[in-house]
Each structure stands twice: as C-alpha cells, then as structure tokens.
Amino acid sequence: MSGKSATPITRRFYSTNDLMGVLDSGDSAEAENIWTFECAWEVVNKVGGIYTVIRSKTGISVEEMGNRYVLMGPYKKQFARTEIEEFEFSQGPLYDAVTKLRDNGFKIHTGSWLVDGNPLVLLFDISSVSYNLNKYKEELFSKSGIGLPDNDTESNDCVLFGFMVAQFIADFNHFANKDVEISPKIVCHFHEWLSGIGLIMTRLWNINVSTVFTTHATLLGRYLCAGSVDFYNSLDKFDIDAEAGKRQIYHRYCIERAATHQAHIFTTVSDITGIEAEHLLKRKPDIVTPNGLNVKKFSALHEFQNLHAVNKEKIHDFVRGHFHGYHDFDLDKTLYFFIAGRYEFSNKGADLFIEGLARLNHMIKESGSDKTVVAFLIFPTRTNSYNVESLRGQAIAKSLRDTVHVVQQDIGKRMYDACLSGKLPDSEELLSKDDLVKLKRCVFASHRSSLPPITTHNVVDDHADPVLYNLRRCQLFNNRSDRVKVIFHPEFLSSSNPLFGLDYEDFVRGCHLGVFPSYYEPWGYTPAECTVMGIPSVTTNLSGFGCFMDDHVADPTSYGIYIVDRRFIGLDDSISQLASYMHDFVSLNRRQRIIQRNRTERLSDLLDWRSLATYYRRARMLALHKVFPELIIEDENGVRHIKYPRPISEPPSPASSRATTPAPSN
C-alpha cells in the first residue's frame, strides 16, 4: 500500500484522520525496534463486545505494525481449535521467551488468528499454572494490598492469566534487549479489569515497558445501572467503596482501579465513559479511543439500496404470515423499526421504545396517515418453544402461496393454449371452479378468532417478563385499528430460524429504522452497524456512539442519526422527543427515505478502523514517550478533529418561503 498521505482532493470526500503514512506492514516499527502487545480476556474468546472490537481492528493493526503486533489471551479450546492456526514462532525474542516459559511448566499455544491480517497470537493455558494460585495471590496482596476471596473463580482465573502475561513480558523484554544495536521499545495494551493483573504486576516488577489500559465500561457502572438508580445525576454522590462492597465486587473494583492508575496512559471508548471513569475510578482518561468497524465487511457500494429491497421482501413474507387474517395494511406503506441487543431492559432503552411506540400509535391515528409501523424487539431470554400461533401463521401463508402458485401455472397454461388456437382467452375460462374451491379453502383457513400474537415464542414466566408486561401496560395488542404493530422475538436471529430465515445483518438491511434509546451504553455497536449498512438509527447522548456522532457531524439528523436527549431533560420529555423523531421518520416519503439512507451510508468512512485506529496509535505513542522520552511523536500523524458538514441538499433552518436574491458565486 502506498505510504503517501491522501491528497487535498481525496480529503474532500474522505474527511478522516490519516493513517496512510504509517501503513507499511511493520517496516517503521522494525526500524525503530518497537513492539506492541495487546492483551484481553476476549482474544480468541467470544464473550462480548470487546471480542468484536479487537477482532475487527486486527486488519489495520497488522497493516501498521506487521509481525511486531502480537495479541495475548486465555486458551479456550472450543474457540481456539477453529479460530487459530498453530505454529512455532521463528527464532527471535518471541521464540526465546515462549521456550523459557514452557521449560518452567507454562503451557502456551502460539500461531496466528484466522481473521483479517492474521495477527500473531499467544494463548495462555491457565490450568497449567493453577497450582501456583495461592502463591500468586499472596504476592499480589503483599505488593499491592489487593486480596481476593477463594470462591470467586473468575477473579482467580484473572490472577493466573495476569501472572502468566506479566512473566512473558518480563522474559520477552530480557531477550529483546540482548545483542541489539537499538534498544527495544515495548508497549503493552490491556483491555478491561480481567487483564488488569498483568498490567499491575508488570509495573510492580519494574519491567521497562510502556503500558496502556482501556476500560470499555467501568465494572461498578455496569452494576449500578443494573439497579434502578439515577446514575448520571448521582455520579459525584456515590460512596464508591460502599457501593462496590454492597455488590460483593470490591476486590474486582480494586483490580480495575489499580490498573487504571498504574497505566502510563489510560483510555476510555467514549466521552460519556470518560466522565463515568473520572468519578468511579478517580482518573480522567488521557485520550478517548472510540470503537470502529471493519467497514469493508459491510460495504455493498452501490448495492446497499438493492440489498435493503431484497431483505425487506423477506421480512414482508414473515409479516404476511404473522398477521394473516388481520393483514389489512399495505406492505408498500409499512415501515419496519427494531431494537436488539442484550436483554437489559432499562439500560438498552426498551422501556423508552415501548412507551414511544404507544405515543407514536396515537400520533399516526390522529394524523390520519395510511402508514403502518411494525416494531420488532429482539432480546434473547428464556423460552419453552415457538408460539404455536406464530408457526401456524407461517404454515398458512406458505400453503396459500403454494396454492396460488399452482393456480397461476394452470391459468398460464390455459392462456397459452387459448392464444395458440388463435383466440383471446375469456376471463371465466381462465379461472376454473376447481381453482376457486382451492382458493376459498385457503382463504377460510386463514381466518382467525384471536389477535396476532405479540411474541413469537412462549416466554418463561411471561407474566413477569418486562417487555411483555410493558406491552400489555401500553395496550399494544396488534388490534386491527392499531397503526403500530409489535413483535417480541426472544432469541437472536440466524438463517436457520424457521420464522425469519434471516441472519441478523440481512434483517437489519431490510429494516427502515433502528431504535436504540439506551440509558447505559459505553459505545453502542448496534447503531454503528446500522450506519455502515445505510440504515438510519436513533441513539442517545448517554451512549458513546451518540456522543461521537454529535461531536463529529454538524447535523446528525440530516444524516439519519437521531439523538435523543436522556441527560439534560426529564424522562417524559425524552419519550416525547423519541416519539416525535419516529413520527417525523414515518412522515417521510419513499424518495426522502432513499436520500436519507444514502446520507447515512456516507458516514461509514467515519466509523472505519482506518480512521479510528489513529486514536489507538496516539495512545501507544504517548505511552512510549513517557518511558522512552527520546522517541519523537509525529505531529502529522496525530489526531485531527473532523466534523462532517450539513448535507448540501439539506435546507438551512428556518427555511424561508419567499424567493431570495441569487447568492454570489463562490
């Protein structure tokens, strides 16, 4: 890849931070003898969002650092056997450090991760050192004052993993300094509290390496928001130690806070998480490192509008079956909204979404609009089986479709025979009595005495389920008169799903609007994925994604990013704002929605790791400079703040109804 920076002309189209000058597959890192180790519990271990962050970032990281970029994680057989290609490292400090650890009884798997860039990876089998657990915990307590209970298995695993990582870094640093002209400059980047012990011991052992610690969401913040507390308005009022002790996570909190303060550079993934960390962890982040996406994976170029139409038709098929007998709305005038994610009812904003839908239903009725909204709520929870009514509806729709297809073939054959004999077919001759009987049977079979179900599954303890409880409270029952229909799908989507037959990505492409009015969302990958697929979305100023877009886009609404204020106004006003946004979207005509999808997809470049990896590079360089002050930080590759302008086609506000004099030429 060319090392030249983007020209002024290309910057007109791609107004992003420039990494092009350092994407040399590690040549620069090798010349300066710089090594980068990235450590996380979710390296080749799919648990949550950090796995997505690291996996999607590997391609750009290898383009920048080559084989000088190494990932470290725990060995989990079920993932490792399919996701890594095992081999021994070639001669050098990596090989020497691994060999020494293996001689001391450490079991380590080495190879490359089968993802973009195929980065080198070290996986530590913590079971091979479990006999050292008490020894490690004693050393941790004597040197840091952090004590861990015996019954916390996750924390014990964290100790074993951390000591193995720290020992590897110590040995690697030793071998890398042998017989070299240029002293090695090593930076170790740790993610979340589970890898924190590795950072803490690296500093306590005085290993001469730079350290970066990133928190994607504070541990205590997650626990506090899981309860019914006014989190953001009470950040400066919490008794931190008491709250952590009350939830029996004080030792975990101590690990996270110690790692935060021991790191040379501390980062968070968003401004809102930075505020949270400043109050709960007592350190302000040195730099914000927002999460990106591998946009190439989602890119469909000019095809994304066609993919929307194709996948929308598949959702139409499901809706036809689900609402059979009550299907009196025009699918061409139907919009699909959805919310999806972990089943954290309040944190993910499902409470706001349901209340907003009830108000939207009233607003559409009052306006006399002929539009219909079908809202999907996709949260995995415990179920017994599929709802019989849902399965029956799809079977009836399939039977009717098959019958109509047979009748079509028969009519086509009769029409062909009539024309071949030299006469125009008569309408009464085309549709036989037998065909009418078949169609009548299907029509009568589709009649139903009950309302279309609001859930596709039989949910365990459905009387206490928060989504179903609130749908009943808001009286969203899919009545014929309702202009907002609701469907709760309590499991993640996949192509093997007997109802939808769609993967999540295809389902998103077929929808019109993603609604994610989250209360606690340190970043928010769901609206980001909508954006790169050209689907407008609703987010909030309490999510990292919403803050990022508000900071980098002059008029987010014009680009299909609706940001609900959940921070500075009351709950009722936030719900009203959400309902207004959804009603404004419903009021758009087809052409306006197409224009908005084009604008939304235009923001993809802003969320690409090729833009956002610049922040990670900046964090590493700052950390290296603290330990190796002779290292010069390149200003031209620093982080430049970019703000997308208002679209040219969007009129200024307020717009004048009177014609103005022509503007002078630019």
Side-chain angles (χ1 to χ4, degrees):
M1 181 175 289
S2 170
K4 295 181 180 179
S5 297
T7 65
I9 293 178
T10 60
R11 286 202 186 102
R12 289 172 63 101
F13 297 95
Y14 302 100
S15 303
T16 57
N17 301 313
D18 192 0
L19 262 182
M20 300 298 289
V22 295
L23 298 182
D24 55 13
S25 298
D27 291 344
S28 300
E30 189 170 351
E32 298 181 60
N33 203 5
I34 296 175
W35 291 83
T36 299
F37 293 91
E38 195 155 4
C39 176
W41 186 256
E42 296 189 33
V43 169
V44 199
N45 180 27
K46 190 173 184 178
V47 178
I50 301 169
Y51 173 87
T52 304
V53 173
I54 295 173
R55 179 187 171 118
S56 62
K57 187 167 65 70
T58 55
I60 194 69
S61 299
V62 172
E63 281 190 54
E64 180 191 347
M65 295 170 279
N67 285 339
R68 293 289 174 128
Y69 172 70
V70 184
L71 289 161
M72 299 187 294
Y75 176 72
K76 301 293 181 181
K77 185 177 180 180
Q78 67 270 33
F79 298 116
R81 63 186 178 186
T82 57
E83 292 191 35
I84 69 165
E85 179 186 351
E86 289 199 42
F87 57 78
E88 296 301 322
F89 294 146
S90 55
Q91 292 292 330
L94 273 177
Y95 174 82
D96 294 337
V98 170
T99 301
K100 181 181 177 182
L101 289 175
R102 284 174 174 166
D103 291 342
N104 290 334
F106 285 34
K107 193 171 181 181
I108 303 175
H109 297 260
T110 61
S112 65
W113 195 359
L114 300 177
V115 294
D116 285 344
N118 297 116
L120 296 179
V121 67
L122 286 159
L123 300 180
F124 298 90
D125 189 342
I126 60 176
S127 64
S128 64
V129 295
S130 57
Y131 61 91
N132 282 327
L133 178 60
N134 290 333
K135 172 186 169 184
Y136 291 160
K137 289 169 71 172
E138 183 180 350
E139 182 177 354
L140 177 67
F141 181 72
S142 65
K143 290 185 176 179
S144 70
I146 299 174
L148 277 75
D150 291 331
N151 60 353
D152 189 344
T153 305
E154 191 173 29
S155 295
N156 290 336
D157 289 347
C158 156
V159 170
L160 295 172
F161 177 58
F163 270 81
M164 292 182 83
V165 167
Q167 189 60 60
F168 168 79
I169 293 170
D171 290 341
F172 177 83
N173 185 54
H174 168 73
F175 287 114
N177 274 286
K178 292 179 66 175
D179 305 323
V180 290
E181 296 179 6
I182 303 174
S183 298
K185 301 170 187 66
I186 303 167
V187 58
C188 301
H189 191 156
F190 298 85
H191 293 264
E192 288 290 275
W193 75 274
L194 282 163
S195 67
I197 297 293
L199 187 153
I200 294 167
M201 298 315 300
T202 298
R203 295 303 311 277
L204 291 176
W205 290 347
N206 294 315
I207 305 170
N208 193 37
V209 298
S210 303
T211 55
V212 180
F213 183 67
T214 297
T215 182
H216 295 256
T218 67
L219 185 67
L220 186 55
R222 285 192 184 279
Y223 276 84
L224 287 169
C225 280
S228 300
V229 296
D230 188 5
F231 181 67
Y232 290 100
N233 289 324
S234 306
L235 271 175
D236 57 344
K237 302 179 183 68
F238 288 121
D239 183 340
I240 306 302
D241 293 337
E243 294 292 348
K246 193 187 303 180
R247 290 160 177 78
Q248 299 183 2
I249 57 164
Y250 185 69
H251 54 289
R252 298 185 181 193
Y253 168 73
C254 288
I255 293 172
E256 183 180 39
R257 184 164 171 177
T260 299
H261 287 270
Q262 287 289 312
H264 292 103
I265 294 296
F266 171 55
T267 83
T268 61
V269 297
S270 64
D271 291 322
I272 195 71
T273 311
I275 295 170
E276 178 186 338
E278 191 175 353
H279 286 91
L280 301 186
L281 297 176
K282 305 304 179 183
R283 181 174 178 181
K284 187 176 182 178
D286 300 289
I287 186 172
V288 172
T289 50
N291 291 333
L293 284 164
N294 183 1
V295 172
K296 185 179 178 182
K297 171 190 171 185
F298 298 97
S299 65
L301 300 179
H302 58 282
E303 282 291 306
F304 80 93
Q305 294 281 10
N306 294 337
L307 288 173
H308 168 70
V310 169
N311 290 297
K312 181 177 68 175
E313 189 55 41
K314 294 179 181 178
I315 300 176
H316 281 345
D317 288 338
F318 166 80
V319 169
R320 289 184 182 105
H322 193 84
F323 291 96
H324 74 87
Y326 279 76
H327 188 261
D328 59 344
F329 49 92
D330 186 353
L331 287 180
D332 282 337
K333 296 178 180 178
T334 298
L335 302 178
Y336 297 130
F337 294 0
F338 80 99
I339 185 173
R342 290 190 306 275
Y343 200 179
E344 298 175 8
F345 183 72
S346 296
N347 283 355
K348 293 297 182 184
D351 50 350
L352 244 72
F353 185 44
I354 293 173
E355 185 67 42
L357 289 174
R359 298 188 187 187
L360 175 64
N361 189 34
H362 174 74
M363 293 165 78
I364 297 177
K365 286 180 181 178
E366 287 295 304
S367 67
S369 172
D370 58 353
K371 301 270 185 69
T372 301
V373 171
V374 177
F376 296 93
L377 298 96
I378 302 172
F379 295 114
T381 189
R382 292 192 305 141
T383 61
N384 289 323
S385 61
Y386 285 99
N387 188 315
V388 173
E389 275 296 303
S390 295
L391 292 172
R392 180 173 175 268
Q394 300 305 317
I396 288 173
K398 184 180 182 301
S399 173
L400 179 58
R401 186 166 53 247
D402 292 343
T403 301
V404 170
H405 182 65
V406 170
V407 171
Q408 279 179 321
Q409 287 182 319
D410 291 342
I411 290 175
K413 186 174 181 299
R414 295 186 195 111
M415 190 180 297
Y416 173 72
D417 289 339
C419 291
L420 198 62
S421 63
K423 65 176 183 179
L424 290 174
D426 186 86
S427 58
E428 294 182 0
E429 295 176 356
L430 292 180
L431 194 63
S432 68
K433 290 183 178 180
D434 189 44
D435 294 335
L436 285 172
V437 171
K438 290 179 183 176
L439 294 174
K440 280 183 179 180
R441 285 175 179 168
C442 288
V443 169
F444 286 127
S446 69
H447 286 175
R448 70 196 313 169
S449 57
S450 60
L451 293 173
I454 59 174
T455 179
T456 57
H457 291 62
N458 296 317
V459 177
V460 175
D461 296 330
D462 68 334
H463 63 283
D465 182 84
V467 165
L468 294 178
Y469 172 81
N470 280 275
L471 288 175
R472 296 182 188 115
R473 181 181 61 81
C474 293
Q475 298 186 24
L476 291 172
F477 294 130
N478 293 337
N479 283 305
R480 195 182 294 273
S481 60
D482 287 334
R483 298 278 42 91
V484 172
K485 318 288 186 181
V486 293
I487 300 171
F488 176 35
H489 187 68
E491 70 173 26
F492 286 131
L493 294 172
S494 69
S495 56
S496 59
N497 188 304
L499 297 179
F500 288 89
L502 280 170
D503 285 323
Y504 174 73
E505 182 182 325
D506 294 328
F507 173 79
V508 172
R509 287 191 186 277
C511 288
H512 296 89
L513 182 71
V515 186
F516 313 102
S518 305
Y519 181 73
Y520 185 76
E521 191 72 80
W523 176 245
Y525 261 121
T526 40
E529 288 170 345
C530 284
T531 302
V532 299
M533 287 188 274
I535 303 301
S537 61
V538 177
T539 182
T540 73
N541 58 356
L542 289 181
S543 79
F545 173 81
C547 293
F548 180 81
M549 283 300 180
D550 193 39
D551 192 37
H552 287 77
V553 181
D555 185 8
T557 304
S558 297
Y559 286 92
I561 309 294
Y562 300 88
I563 302 175
V564 174
D565 187 353
R566 294 204 64 179
R567 189 175 177 190
F568 301 112
I569 61 177
L571 180 62
D572 188 68
D573 291 334
S574 296
I575 296 171
S576 296
Q577 189 180 42
L578 172 61
S580 296
Y581 279 151
M582 292 192 292
H583 187 254
D584 289 345
F585 186 85
V586 170
S587 301
L588 298 177
N589 59 39
R590 186 188 298 270
R591 182 175 180 80
Q592 289 170 326
R593 292 198 303 272
I594 291 173
I595 292 171
Q596 190 175 68
R597 282 198 295 272
N598 281 322
R599 290 180 186 163
T600 303
E601 200 271 342
R602 202 185 306 167
L603 297 178
S604 296
D605 194 54
L606 189 62
L607 297 170
D608 195 353
W609 274 122
R610 290 183 173 276
S611 304
L612 299 183
T614 311
Y615 296 92
Y616 274 84
R617 175 176 171 80
R618 184 70 173 174
R620 292 194 302 270
M621 298 304 290
L622 289 172
L624 284 168
H625 186 68
K626 285 201 171 187
V627 179
F628 310 100
E630 71 277 9
L631 189 68
I632 299 173
I633 302 176
E634 317 95 315
D635 290 334
E636 65 272 16
N637 289 319
V639 176
R640 297 189 302 276
H641 187 82
I642 299 297
K643 197 162 183 99
Y644 268 64
R646 176 192 288 267
I648 296 172
S649 57
E650 185 74 9
S653 179
S656 173
S657 59
R658 180 175 58 83
T660 59
T661 55
S665 170
N666 289 329

